[in-house]
Amino acid sequence: MADAVISVVVERVATIIQDQIRYEVNLVRGVEKELLHLSDKLRTVRNVLDDAEKRGVKDQSVKSWLKKLENTAYEMDDILDEWDYYLLKHKMKASVEQKVCCSFIPSSSLYFKKVSIRRDTGQKIENVKVRLDQILKEKDDFEFVTSLPPTDHPVPNSCRVQSTSFIEFEKVRGSDVERNKGNIVKKLLSADTQILSIVGTGGIGKTTLAQLVYNDAQVTSCFELRIWICVSDPFDLAAIAKGIIGSVTKEIIPLGINQLELILEKLGHCISGKKFLLVLDDVWTEKYNEWEPLKINLRKGAVGSKILVTTRKVTTAKMMGTLDNDIYRPKQLSDEECWSLLRGISLSGRDGELAEFESVGKKIATKCSGLPLAANVLGRLLQFKYNLQEWEDVEKSEIWQLENAEVDLFPHLVLSYKDLSPPLKRCFSYCAVYPKDHKIRADRLIAEWMALGYLGSVSGNGEVELKGRQYLNNLAMRSLFQDNVKIGEQIIHCKMHDIVHDFAVFLRKNDNKDEVAKMRKESCQVCDPLLVSQAKEYRSLFMDKSRRVALCDCISSVRVLGLERGFHDPLLQGMEKLIHVRCLELSDIELKDEDLKNICRLYFLQTLLLSHCYLINIPGEIGDLVHLRNLDLSRNGFTGLPESICRLVELQTLNLESCDNLYKLPEGIRMLENLQHIFVDRACASQGRLVKGVAQLSGLRTFGYISSFGIENLFRVQSGPNKFKRLKHLNHLTGSLRLEILCNTIPEVEELARTAGEAELRKKIHIHSLRILFLFKCQWKYHSGHEKEHSRLSLELIEALQPHPKLSKLEIEGYAGYQLPRWMSSPLNFVKHIHLFNHLHLSSLTPMGKLPLLEDLILERLNKMEFLGREFLGIVASSSNHVVVFPKLKKLAFNSLICWDKWEDITVEEEESAAISIMPCLTELHITDSVSLKKLPHRLLHKASSSLRWINIVGSSELVKTYGEDKEGSAWRSISQHNPQLQLHI
């Protein structure tokens, strides 16, 4: 953790000396040399931090040394904050006074303040210097190994304990284990899958599951060779190859022979033509160039050979070639299963004592949090505790306080921890600040990492937030987070497994009694010692109204502060004293105007969350928060925002959801070049008054809201100048785009059709889902005299709204054309999901069978469609090549097509032709409330029947008349005659 703060301090010193001195040179004169001297010392100490971090995991004295270094670096950062604070304060005052007179002349009182500040700053630096000199002296006593400054790349770990294929079956617990074992065995015996992976956190039972599979009777009889290799880290290709050769030939290759070419050639020869199962246990590498030579030579085995991998990283599994469906993630054991496992170990041979220990034993089992390894460790610990009091002591203790926990349990997590880069280590251990089982908000966590300097220096662009996202994904992929809730590919919420949380606490806990006593002595008598300890340890503080803390030096250095509902006086009145705060959340707290003005004096704020704070006015002082990047003003009652908000040049996210009284955005919002996300309600987004300045924000990625389907951008378009043009430059929009087109007359439709191309949807390459809604307020649309013209113009309009070809999902509602646009059936269109709903006049479909990646097609309320012809399939009769129609289609649904009475079948020749495949992946066919359809296309369904598993027919009375009510009758079965697995639901 110390490296993060040191890096920030070194960068800030350079910035102050080189840049900020230009504004108020007298403010830092006299201490510049001392400052640079300290910076050089901090830069030097970074060279031993890598070794210190490794040793600090188990060595308490090293951990304490690192903590003192981190605290000193934070203190230096606090001093820099104070400098910056006064610089900003005087700069803003100068700006105000310059508006009154032509030039700004510092007063004698201001000069006096500067002298006082300089003297005070010099004394603080001297104090830091003394402490740092002592820390550096202690550094020499530890004899740390000097290395290059830490980077984002982890250092290879020491060797792990080698696993074997042998297993004690009686110690295996869990229904999920049996289920996963059966599924994996089934895949290993099948013909298609080649590489399978078991992925999960340390101790979850990956190796146990692999051992069960490896020793299964069916597996043993199926494979000529079974080979078990414990890989670990680093990925030693020569050693792995030698292990395989030794397992097959029993030949021991001398350690000195490291000619990789010869070893791999020998490997290929010994497995050539043999069907093998290779288990690669505990793989860590993510580098394809390390895996590729082995993979190439393993292909020399016979057809049906399989590889089973265990790893903690999803990225490793995918790099090795595992498909998503072939990745298995063992689940946690239930509390009852943990107790069964723990009981079998701790009370082995002591069955008569079960009743005495059962109650407390079950409570201890809950500490395992479903982790088999924890149950084993605690079981062995309890095995030698013979009285109830000793068991109760274990139940009352945290896992990391128990004897042998570090030796037996945490090393499995230490392996994961050591594999992290230094920045990831500090980001991970910080999460101990949250309580167990806490649902962590991803955006909030990233803001806190940023506030603490863990993501490096903060620039005006979005690189720091992107780095935070990458760090979060990296930790999740290594199974250090669980229960990840995603929208698209982005994690929104996550949790830490209880044992992983215990480990993070273990990394942060301070066992130095002298330091703890000193901290308590320095704390005042008013503050809650636990809160003060949290503030000192994490530079973060989260408080509810039941735990109060005074506004004093005990918490003055916090970077992250969150207050829960119920707070007000006196803490909020003195909020402006917390000048080091970067991330502040006061949501659901009633704020007065003066409170908000005080908050606006916290000039270093990067994240300010004021949701539901009963705000009626936003003061102009909000523009003084020049470092603000994330501003949440949602669920408040103000009617407008001050123009001063346009001075927030680093602002990236502005949340205005549920601000029902908001009338418009400031005119100058177009100047916020870094603004990427504006969150507003659907109702607000549909009102053109909020869109005016937004159209010029070329970097905007979100203008809308977050739904269960992800980020939805909403734009309402109606007749008038520049309506579609507002979308022209917004090419960075991400997520979903909901485009509402409002028109009441034929001339309005004509105008919209003429200007629709200005939206340039083809350039919106980050939009994965597009929903186009045609909204009509008048009944003229039903008048027969307008229908033809309306249809023609609607087709022109939607043709001009062609999206980019890699769009994933397309929904069109309320369309009035007779036919669909040409681009919808283009083979260059890679859309996966199409939903057509409530189309007024559509009577035929384009050849959608040409779409190469379409998986789901839903046609709903196409009230004028009577006939579904063969052109829908897109079969080219003259083609001599193999034709695949709807090659990826899995689900086909027809809902409420009330006039549809005929579905044209394919010809006998097409059914029998081996050159034509139709819907080879179709698994579901749904026909709902299509009351007129009399017959199904038998030849087409026979052609697609090999994959078809489910036909659901509801509310379609004519089909029931044709085929009868008995779904087991001959009429219905004639549809599925080639597929006994097909299920009918009528």
Side-chain angles (χ1 to χ4, degrees), residues 294-308:
L294 182 61
K295 179 181 180 180
I296 291 172
N297 283 275
L298 290 173
R299 289 173 180 165
K300 296 178 182 179
V303 175
S305 295
K306 300 288 166 46
I307 301 171
L308 179 60

Side-chain angles (χ1 to χ4, degrees), residues 282-320:
D282 196 27
V283 182
W284 290 72
T285 185
E286 299 175 63
K287 299 176 182 178
Y288 184 74
N289 62 339
E290 291 184 344
W291 159 242
E292 183 183 27
L294 182 61
K295 179 181 180 180
I296 291 172
N297 283 275
L298 290 173
R299 289 173 180 165
K300 296 178 182 179
V303 175
S305 295
K306 300 288 166 46
I307 301 171
L308 179 60
V309 177
T310 74
T311 179
R312 302 185 190 194
K313 305 179 187 179
V314 175
T315 47
T316 295
K318 292 190 174 182
M319 177 278 295
M320 298 183 77

Side-chain angles (χ1 to χ4, degrees), residues 746 780-791 818:
I746 288 292
W780 63 268
K781 59 183 180 179
Y782 296 114
H783 195 282
S784 59
H786 295 294
E787 183 178 307
K788 190 173 182 180
E789 182 67 4
H790 186 198
S791 173
Y818 287 138

